[in-house]
Amino acid sequence: MVQDNANGQKSLLRSIDVITIVIYLLLIAAGWISVVGASYNYGDTDFLDFAARSGKQLTWIVCSFVLGLVIMLTDDRIYDTFANVIYVVMMGILLVTPFIATGTKGSYSWIHLGPVSIQPAEFAKCATALALAKYMGSYGFNLSNPRHFIKAVAIVVLPILLIILQRETGSALVYLAFFLVFYREGMTGSVLFIGVAVIVYFVFGLRFDAEAMPHTLTSVGRFTVLLLIWLFTAVLVFRYSRNRKELKWIVGIGVLLTGGAWLISRYVKPFDISWVQLALCVGVIVYLVVESLRQRFPRLALIAVFTLGSLFAYYSADYMLNNVLQPHQQKRVRVLLGLEQDINGAGYNVRQSEIAIGSGGLYGKGFLNGTQTKLKYVPEQDTDFIFCTVGEEHGFVGCAVVLVLFLCLILRLIYLAERQTFAFGRIFGYSVLSIFLFHVFINIGMVMGLTPVIGIPLPFFSYGGSSLWGFTLLLFIFLRIDAGREKYRR
Amino acid sequence: MTGLNLDKRKYIIGLVAILIVIVYLLRLLSLQIMSDDYKRNADSNAFLKKIQYPARGLIMDRKGRLLVYNEPAYNIMVIMQEQLGVDTLDFCNTVGITKEQYIERMAEIKDSKKNLGYSRFTPQLFMSQIPAKEFSVFQEKLFKFKGFYVEKRAIRHYATTCAAHVLGDVAEVSQLDVDSDEYYRPGDYIGKLGVEKSYEKDLRGVKGMKIMLRDVHGRIKGHYQDGQFDRVPEPGRNLTLGLDRDLQALGERLMRGKLGSIVAIDPQTGEVLCMVSSPTFDPHLLSGPDRGKNYQKLYANPMKPLLNRAIMGQYPPGSTFKTSQGLTFLQEGIINTHTAYPCYHGFRYGRLHVGCHGHASPAALAYAIQTSCNSYFCWGFYHMMQAKRKYGTVNNAMNRWKDYMVSMGFGYRLGVDLPGEKRGMIPNAEYYDKHYRGSWNGLTVISDAIGQGEVALTPLQIANLCATIANRGYYYIPHVVRSVEGRPTDTTYTRKHYTMVEEKYYNYIVDGMRRAVLGGTCKGANLPGLDVCGKTGTAQNRGRDHSVFIGFAPMNNPRIAISVYVENGGFGAHFAVPIGAVMIEQYLNGHLSPSGEKRAAAFASRTIGYGTRQR
């Protein structure tokens, strides 16, 4: 028993994933530098002063290192064992939070414990991930069984409802990330694909509707959406076709027609090349239907239905928005989608954050030299909009480094999740990486004006102890589980 | 079974992550590298270019005595956001306003329709141009009035109350000024009249600039890059005028209660020694916070005190004009120095009669000048117009005559360095053709010969005529500014302008003018030891005659040439001659003799009653 333990400890040190730890430390360091930059006031000199946000954040960072160490010293099996207990307790806390929380900015999600405030929603993610991993990893679980699937979804939906009660819609939306886990575990991809496709059509189509493509009379939005419809169709054909000979035609003629149309518009006479794209899509539909009948292969017809549905969804949304809805309703939809400059609201924030990032240039203005963030032009600059500081002070290079670090983290986590012996570890791993991906996708997209303004933090960057500990907890529990996997392999 | 299939999904999830990062990198590329707009936007967001105002140039008289200088004045500014809990009563008492005024002013500031660009976070003007004296009381209590600040601006102060017309004034720029010169921003000051206007570019200096960082609420957060891009303001250039402060003050004193003008020129340089326009006003009225109110009052005054009569008044020169006629006739050979014309109480030709006063007849040129004989100059003018053999037609004769007049500086602006100069009037043949529909001759326009009729000159032009005679045939363009600190004098003012008359002929006129002082119309100007030469004028008009005098002294080394024009003053000898004499004495001696002082006091208290009806 003792020896086993000693062996376990020894192998534990060896089996911690160092690459993830290094990425984590790099992100934490870059995050702290950003908080220093974002919360800096002219004349401040002492970044370590606890009164300043930079000093506080440093304290939270040290605490999270301690937290990580403690997690590494625990037994990996307790998470599996106590997952349900943790989940139930956490849901209980979420339930009482709105009643004991003092409202700040219309949200009732903070519990004040003496000098510090804690946001339980940040920790509920971890509890949900554990519970979901335990349930879906249990023997006999089958996602294609509707009862099982509904139960799994219920584990995710419960915290969503409780968090919406706290008026924290942004934090609630994060739980949509778990659908990526369902996908990995066997949920049919078309649910995810169609959902994503429709959102992409809407967002791109409406967001860039007014911007003209260079050298054409086409709007960037329409061109992008039609290109995506064609591309998605091609991907589906690649995925589901039997011999993929259709693919050659679809891709070849598509590239030829679109490229040719653009060249004619560029060098001969500018025209609206979206008509060519529309004709291409219609041609593809007809071709797929004909091939489906000829080969007696109904899947091709289904792909044609997807293409037709996509065209219909895009054009009807476009028509509805521009012709059916009243102007004030149109405005509301645009603002809701984050598409319209609502000068007094989210639109102003996004405009200012775009200015801040855009003014950074290739190398940025240098540490503490950003004017837009220092002078408080960007709201929430050390929390939700912290990426602006990276953009303004460290430029394209700094932003690219941060984005690539996040990408490395996520890819590494995929690798780690896939090497788990048990479904519990894999599912938890995917939960963790899905949550990170969702946060990075929404947060960075938001500050660059690509995704709707949803107030969720950027992992390891945004100021605040709760979110930092929440993310550390997620990452280190998974690393602990990963470190323990060796034991079972022997 | 499904496990194998699901295994591939890790690639799809990984691919999604990679795609997101690629799209975001492209977006970053377009935000940060492809477009400059964001950078420009950021700069206009964050940089507040704070203008540093240079000190406006000082103005001195010819002896270096200060005329115009700057005094600090203070604008009281308020930041609404911070201005809470101020003891309103105490504040009002300190700055000397009532509580109602305070409330009204605050409401005005908050009304963003009237106060464009209002922000709760930036300083707003509460009261402007509080003089330093009153300000010191306020400053002591400033700590009590949270949210109130002071902004230092300079206002013009005057060491004397004289020369308002020459000095001019300074006021806030109009929209037109802002549009036409990019130097100006709304709220800047600009010279509006006098040398303040004509030398604006020298006086104003060069603005400096401080680049400050401004936060989203407009609050100042410090210097950009520790001020390394800041620019220090360059103060304006100082002006030294040709004006003699004492002479100007005396002139204004003498003209008190009368309308008219005194212009004195140094014939050797063309510098204007004094330029009096009466009625005048205290230049302080157009400086400081009450400028607008005072300007309106002065503007509405029927005596038109704002009008600089010396350069804007256009008067018949009367008999002073005869000097120019004598010169023209001599040069053109119409008369010689011995030519004599009969005068029996005037010029008679057919039914035409121009009256004259009793003097011996016939008269030659010098005697005609001495006694101001109308008949003599009418005959001369008549003969010039009728000299068909010489000119062919009366039109040619008339235009020849006009050329002489123009060469003496009449009929066009002289080009004095003050705004608003008028050109006067010298008729030509075309003018009379139009006026009389072609049917006119020398007799029709005979009154031109004696400075009446269509002829009109400004007092400056009359003084310049006198300077030309003093110089025996040339003049410098009269100018009030003697030198501008730090730049060479404009060559326009150092070039001699010769008339069409030769020097030798001038001596006869000088002789006549000397005799007029010794024993003619202007005996009153005979100052012992100063060799004054003079010529009176009595200009007829609809009301009482205008009293005119030109004179220069000393005769052979003239240092002052003067014109005095007293509206409705009667005979030249009544007002203009004694006033001119006192002025000459003051300038040449530097002070007045007891008898001169007595005379000055007497004339200063003599007023002429002007009915507003005449104006």
Side-chain angles (χ1 to χ4, degrees):
Chain A
M1 191 70 194
V2 172
Q3 175 151 18
D4 189 45
N5 238 347
N7 254 347
Q9 289 297 344
K10 208 171 150 196
S11 64
L12 178 74
L13 275 177
R14 247 189 288 124
S15 50
I16 295 175
D17 186 59
V18 180
I19 294 178
T20 312
I21 297 282
V22 168
I23 297 172
Y24 168 77
L25 290 176
L26 286 174
L27 283 171
I28 289 273
W32 187 66
I33 288 170
S34 305
V35 169
V36 172
S39 60
Y40 176 77
N41 278 314
Y42 283 99
D44 284 0
T45 44
D46 192 1
F47 305 139
L48 307 177
D49 186 359
F50 187 75
R53 285 196 152 191
S54 49
K56 276 188 186 151
Q57 183 72 356
L58 197 61
T59 316
W60 308 149
I61 287 170
V62 172
C63 291
S64 64
F65 287 168
V66 174
L67 183 70
L69 202 66
V70 169
I71 290 167
M72 293 321 277
L73 293 175
T74 54
D75 191 307
D76 58 302
R77 278 161 303 188
I78 61 164
Y79 304 108
D80 195 349
T81 315
F82 293 107
N84 287 339
V85 180
I86 294 170
Y87 181 74
V88 169
V89 169
M90 206 58 229
M91 290 307 114
I93 293 174
L94 280 185
L95 188 63
V96 298
T97 300
F99 301 105
I100 58 174
T102 46
T104 44
K105 289 187 201 163
S107 119
Y108 294 84
S109 60
W110 291 90
I111 298 175
H112 297 274
L113 296 172
V116 285
S117 309
I118 287 173
Q119 198 175 18
E122 291 295 338
F123 302 98
K125 276 178 269 190
C126 189
T128 308
L130 283 172
L132 196 66
K134 185 176 171 78
Y135 177 62
M136 287 172 67
S138 60
Y139 182 75
F141 176 81
N142 184 359
L143 201 67
S144 32
N145 180 337
R147 283 186 57 198
H148 290 183
F149 182 63
I150 287 168
K151 253 180 141 178
V153 170
I155 291 176
V156 176
V157 169
L158 178 63
I160 292 183
L161 294 177
L162 291 175
I163 292 169
I164 286 175
L165 276 183
Q166 303 171 3
R167 313 263 164 83
E168 275 284 325
T169 323
S171 302
L173 285 174
V174 173
Y175 289 80
L176 292 179
F178 287 107
F179 279 85
L180 203 60
V181 182
F182 294 151
Y183 169 71
R184 167 62 186 83
E185 294 303 311
M187 183 181 74
T188 168
S190 40
V191 174
L192 214 56
F193 190 75
I194 290 169
V196 170
V198 168
I199 290 171
V200 165
Y201 297 159
F202 267 87
V203 172
F204 270 90
L206 302 180
R207 177 80 172 81
F208 299 106
D209 195 37
E211 284 178 46
M213 285 260 297
H215 312 299
T216 66
L217 302 176
T218 318
S219 89
V220 174
R222 179 158 298 183
F223 174 81
T224 314
V225 169
L226 290 171
L227 193 73
L228 284 173
I229 291 174
W230 165 70
L231 220 66
F232 287 162
T233 308
V235 169
L236 288 173
V237 169
F238 172 80
R239 176 76 182 71
Y240 294 108
S241 161
R242 269 191 299 227
N243 47 22
R244 292 181 186 163
K245 77 172 175 66
E246 301 91 349
L247 191 68
K248 269 181 267 170
W249 287 105
I250 292 172
V251 172
I253 292 179
V255 169
L256 221 66
L257 271 180
T258 316
W262 188 80
L263 286 175
I264 290 171
S265 178
R266 168 82 175 81
Y267 292 105
V268 183
K269 187 180 189 299
F271 70 106
D272 188 349
I273 62 175
S274 75
W275 292 111
V276 174
Q277 293 181 288
L278 185 62
L280 171 69
C281 289
V282 172
V284 168
I285 291 168
V286 172
Y287 173 71
L288 286 174
V289 171
V290 169
E291 281 297 308
S292 156
L293 290 174
R294 211 170 56 79
Q295 298 180 22
R296 297 180 195 285
F297 185 50
R299 271 201 174 169
L300 289 181
L302 279 177
I303 295 171
V305 168
F306 166 82
T307 313
L308 190 66
S310 293
L311 288 178
F312 181 76
Y314 171 63
Y315 280 100
S316 64
D318 199 52
Y319 179 81
M320 285 272 286
L321 191 68
N322 290 321
N323 301 84
V324 177
L325 294 182
Q326 298 292 314
H328 70 276
Q329 291 169 320
Q330 288 177 17
K331 186 181 161 75
R332 213 175 298 160
V333 171
R334 287 173 193 279
V335 171
L336 190 73
L337 288 170
L339 306 175
E340 180 132 326
Q341 302 277 315
D342 178 7
I343 296 304
N344 299 319
Y348 169 83
N349 300 2
V350 172
R351 175 80 192 140
Q352 292 299 337
S353 77
E354 282 177 9
I355 288 173
I357 293 177
S359 68
L362 182 59
Y363 297 110
K365 299 176 185 171
F367 181 52
L368 299 185
N369 283 337
T371 54
Q372 303 305 290
T373 46
K374 295 301 154 300
L375 299 169
K376 323 286 179 211
Y377 282 93
V378 181
E380 307 289 341
Q381 48 174 327
D382 50 5
T383 56
D384 295 347
F385 281 83
I386 188 132
F387 196 67
C388 294
T389 309
V390 182
E392 193 184 11
E393 299 196 344
H394 306 289
F396 179 75
V397 172
C399 289
V401 167
V402 170
L403 275 171
V404 168
L405 274 176
F406 273 119
L407 182 62
C408 290
L409 179 70
I410 285 160
L411 294 179
R412 183 69 191 168
L413 289 178
I414 292 176
Y415 171 77
L416 295 186
E418 289 294 339
R419 76 177 183 188
Q420 296 307 307
T421 329
F422 293 105
F424 174 76
R426 183 179 68 236
I427 293 163
F428 187 73
Y430 267 100
S431 300
V432 173
L433 75 91
S434 300
I435 289 168
F436 280 133
L437 183 61
F438 191 87
H439 273 270
V440 171
F441 171 64
I442 293 292
N443 182 287
I444 296 183
M446 165 181 85
V447 297
M448 295 194 299
L450 290 180
T451 53
V453 177
I454 296 170
I456 57 172
L458 184 62
F460 312 125
F461 276 72
S462 292
Y463 169 81
S466 292
S467 72
L468 181 60
W469 296 341
F471 291 120
T472 303
L473 208 61
L474 277 170
L475 192 65
F476 277 82
I477 289 176
F478 178 56
L479 286 180
R480 180 68 195 88
I481 293 168
D482 175 61
R485 100 207 106 86
E486 294 287 337
K487 229 170 8 189
Y488 309 103
R489 189 163 288 175
R490 260 185 285 124
Chain B
M1 179 209 76
T2 46
L4 264 176
N5 204 0
L6 291 178
D7 226 21
K8 281 184 190 155
R9 290 193 169 181
K10 68 182 177 194
Y11 296 116
I12 291 174
I13 293 172
L15 208 68
V16 166
I18 291 170
L19 263 174
I20 288 172
V21 169
I22 287 173
V23 168
Y24 283 8
L25 285 175
L26 290 175
R27 174 67 177 163
L28 280 172
L29 210 64
S30 86
L31 276 178
Q32 300 188 297
I33 309 215
M34 312 292 272
S35 165
D36 258 354
D37 285 0
Y38 295 101
K39 198 161 173 52
R40 273 200 297 275
N41 258 311
D43 287 354
S44 75
N45 256 350
F47 294 154
L48 177 68
K49 290 178 178 159
K50 204 172 182 190
I51 288 165
Q52 300 289 99
Y53 291 96
R56 201 172 168 85
L58 307 177
I59 304 178
M60 265 94 53
D61 88 336
R62 66 186 293 114
K63 291 175 180 157
R65 289 172 296 196
L66 206 57
L67 295 176
V68 186
Y69 58 99
N70 302 308
E71 277 265 290
Y74 299 86
N75 290 348
I76 297 183
M77 314 296 288
V78 58
I79 297 178
M80 288 299 186
Q81 173 79 355
E82 302 171 10
Q83 166 281 134
L84 296 166
V86 166
D87 183 350
T88 319
L89 202 65
D90 191 14
F91 180 85
C92 291
N93 287 338
T94 311
V95 297
I97 55 172
T98 65
K99 191 159 181 185
E100 286 71 35
Q101 284 172 319
Y102 176 90
I103 294 165
E104 193 188 336
R105 182 70 199 126
M106 281 297 184
E108 270 173 32
I109 292 172
K110 281 185 205 158
D111 185 350
S112 52
K113 267 182 223 132
K114 282 185 202 158
N115 185 12
L116 298 167
Y118 167 71
S119 157
R120 279 188 301 141
F121 302 99
T122 54
Q124 305 289 315
L125 181 67
F126 183 81
M127 276 174 88
S128 70
Q129 301 181 355
I130 313 277
K133 226 188 301 166
E134 290 172 40
F135 169 72
S136 61
V137 184
F138 177 73
Q139 194 177 27
E140 273 178 32
K141 289 187 169 183
L142 189 61
F143 74 96
K144 283 207 257 176
F145 307 133
K146 219 168 148 276
F148 283 91
Y149 298 88
V150 288
E151 182 190 75
K152 199 168 151 188
R153 285 302 286 270
I155 56 172
R156 287 303 233 186
H157 264 250
Y158 300 88
T160 105
T161 56
C162 67
H165 294 105
V166 174
L167 298 174
D169 70 329
V170 164
E172 261 187 38
V173 287
S174 65
Q175 191 55 45
L176 195 71
D177 298 326
V178 176
D179 293 342
S180 53
D181 187 340
E182 61 176 30
Y183 178 89
Y184 299 106
R185 296 277 173 274
D188 285 1
Y189 290 120
I190 188 172
K192 287 283 182 189
L193 292 168
V195 293
E196 296 274 20
K197 177 169 180 168
S198 49
Y199 287 85
E200 167 69 13
K201 287 205 166 104
D202 291 306
L203 288 167
R204 72 186 181 188
V206 179
K207 281 184 209 165
M209 169 109 65
K210 260 188 196 167
I211 303 176
M212 312 292 284
L213 289 170
R214 163 177 68 177
D215 78 358
V216 65
H217 299 304
R219 286 180 298 222
I220 300 303
K221 290 301 197 185
H223 286 269
Y224 175 63
Q225 303 267 307
D226 288 328
Q228 64 181 89
F229 296 105
D230 293 0
R231 215 170 50 221
V232 180
E234 278 175 42
R237 296 195 173 103
N238 297 340
L239 300 185
T240 301
L241 301 189
L243 228 60
D244 181 307
R245 198 174 83 180
D246 298 334
L247 188 67
Q248 179 76 22
L250 176 66
E252 290 185 11
R253 187 173 143 222
L254 292 169
M255 288 300 286
R256 222 178 275 159
K258 311 162 206 43
L259 299 184
S261 175
I262 305 173
V263 178
I265 296 173
D266 181 347
Q268 297 176 10
T269 59
E271 288 161 13
V272 174
L273 302 172
C274 84
M275 183 180 277
V276 177
S277 173
S278 183
T280 183
F281 57 92
D282 184 346
H284 287 104
L285 289 176
L286 294 188
S287 175
D290 295 330
R291 180 185 189 275
K293 213 166 61 192
N294 291 331
Y295 187 88
Q296 285 306 321
K297 237 188 259 170
L298 291 170
Y299 187 78
N301 188 326
M303 297 300 170
K304 300 207 164 70
L306 287 173
L307 189 74
N308 185 358
R309 287 171 161 78
I311 56 170
M312 297 170 179
Q314 303 177 89
Y315 300 100
S319 304
T320 57
F321 200 58
K322 287 170 184 165
T323 53
S324 68
Q325 301 310 296
L327 291 165
T328 307
F329 305 152
L330 282 173
Q331 182 70 39
E332 281 294 281
I334 305 297
I335 58 170
N336 62 41
T337 51
H338 305 297
T339 307
Y341 289 118
C343 175
Y344 301 104
H345 297 284
F347 172 78
R348 284 168 203 278
Y349 196 100
R351 273 180 298 171
L352 185 73
H353 176 231
V354 179
C356 194
H357 38 89
H359 59 79
S361 172
L365 178 61
Y367 183 68
I369 292 282
Q370 178 189 349
T371 56
S372 195
C373 174
N374 283 345
S375 186
Y376 185 93
F377 296 96
C378 288
W379 279 116
F381 188 75
Y382 174 73
H383 283 139
M384 183 169 177
M385 292 302 128
Q386 297 305 111
K388 291 253 165 55
R389 215 176 306 147
K390 190 169 167 69
Y391 303 112
T393 63
V394 68
N395 279 38
N396 288 348
M398 189 68 209
N399 284 340
R400 183 71 180 158
W401 176 83
K402 184 215 73 180
D403 291 343
Y404 272 89
M405 296 302 107
V406 170
S407 81
M408 293 177 188
F410 308 146
Y412 291 93
R413 288 183 190 91
L414 278 169
V416 69
D417 49 352
L418 287 173
E421 189 193 359
K422 289 283 193 306
R423 59 187 284 191
M425 173 70 190
I426 293 295
N428 60 12
E430 286 71 39
Y431 175 84
Y432 285 126
D433 279 347
K434 218 168 139 191
H435 206 258
Y436 292 108
R437 309 222 168 116
S439 123
W440 60 279
N441 58 32
L443 290 175
T444 326
V445 298
I446 198 77
S447 45
D448 288 349
I450 53 170
Q452 299 283 158
E454 283 72 31
V455 172
L457 302 184
T458 65
L460 182 71
Q461 285 171 327
I462 302 174
N464 192 53
L465 165 66
C466 185
T468 317
I469 298 167
N471 285 338
R472 276 74 164 172
Y474 66 86
Y475 68 91
Y476 297 98
I477 293 175
H479 48 282
V480 293
V481 172
R482 192 181 205 186
S483 63
V484 179
E485 188 188 46
R487 88 165 159 86
T489 314
D490 203 329
T491 51
T492 9
Y493 300 125
T494 55
R495 222 177 63 231
K496 285 178 183 173
H497 291 256
Y498 283 92
T499 69
M500 289 164 69
V501 181
E502 287 167 54
E503 186 182 343
K504 59 180 182 192
Y505 297 124
Y506 273 95
N507 287 319
Y508 297 108
I509 300 296
V510 171
D511 183 39
M513 286 173 70
R514 181 65 186 147
R515 282 156 70 167
V517 170
L518 292 175
T521 49
C522 34
K523 278 177 287 207
N526 188 9
L527 301 166
L530 296 181
D531 295 347
V532 180
C533 303
K535 178 77 197 76
T536 54
T538 306
Q540 290 167 6
N541 71 100
R542 272 168 300 173
R544 202 168 159 226
D545 293 348
H546 298 319
S547 176
V548 198
F549 170 72
I550 59 171
F552 64 90
M555 181 169 136
N556 290 319
N557 179 29
R559 287 173 50 215
I560 178 169
I562 193 167
S563 81
V564 180
Y565 207 107
V566 182
E567 290 182 30
N568 309 110
F571 285 123
H574 270 169
F575 279 98
V577 173
I579 288 174
V582 172
M583 293 291 284
I584 292 172
E585 184 190 353
Q586 164 69 35
Y587 180 69
L588 292 181
N589 291 344
H591 59 86
L592 289 178
S593 63
S595 68
E597 179 53 50
K598 231 168 96 185
R599 197 141 71 137
F603 275 93
S605 56
R606 273 172 72 175
T607 58
I608 300 172
Y610 296 96
T612 46
R613 190 174 45 81
Q614 281 177 311
R615 294 296 99 209

